[in-house]
Amino acid sequence: MWSWVAHRVTGVLIFFFLFVHVLDTALVRVSPEDYDKVVATYKTPLVACLEYGLVAAILFHALNGLRVIAVDFWSKGPRYQKQMLWSVVGLWVVLMIGAIYPVLGHAARELFGS
């Protein structure tokens, strides 16, 4: 049940990110100066934390999507869906730990120094 909810919520969050991304990229044709201002705000530590959340949403949505495909198309999928869910969660945690430095490293250096 909760994996279903999380899958839908992450899908909606990713959709809204893509919508905002298309809008801010389109801004370069309308006003390059405003585009530069928007891009400058993306270099803040707060946005780095939001990017980490985006990575979390994309990773969970992708891994859980593979689990859903396995449940739907593998004859033994429904029987092992709970084990596959815990495997997805475990792999997601490992990958999110691995993403801390690449995504948040710049923000940490900006906040706490080199």
Side-chain angles (χ1 to χ4, degrees):
M1 166 70 179
W2 287 110
S3 67
W4 181 88
V5 171
H7 195 75
R8 283 2 177 233
V9 168
T10 56
V12 170
L13 290 173
I14 293 165
F15 171 79
F16 281 120
F17 163 78
L18 290 173
F19 181 71
V20 170
H21 179 65
V22 168
L23 287 179
D24 73 3
T25 303
L27 191 60
V28 77
R29 305 253 311 147
V30 177
S31 174
E33 297 82 22
D34 289 336
Y35 174 78
D36 291 338
K37 290 177 189 174
V38 169
V39 169
T41 64
Y42 291 164
K43 297 177 183 175
T44 63
L46 175 64
V47 175
C49 292
L50 293 173
E51 285 176 345
Y52 189 71
L54 177 64
V55 170
I58 290 171
L59 273 176
F60 179 80
H61 193 79
L63 294 171
N64 193 53
L66 293 173
R67 183 189 69 86
V68 169
I69 290 170
V71 169
D72 287 346
F73 292 108
W74 181 35
S75 61
K76 296 179 183 178
R79 184 179 317 147
Y80 295 111
Q81 67 91 17
K82 190 177 240 181
Q83 292 89 338
M84 287 189 290
L85 175 62
W86 285 111
S87 298
V88 162
V89 170
L91 182 58
W92 178 79
V93 167
V94 168
L95 291 173
M96 288 308 298
I97 290 169
I100 288 174
Y101 181 74
V103 178
L104 295 176
H106 174 72
R109 284 188 299 277
E110 188 173 316
L111 287 173
F112 305 115
S114 295

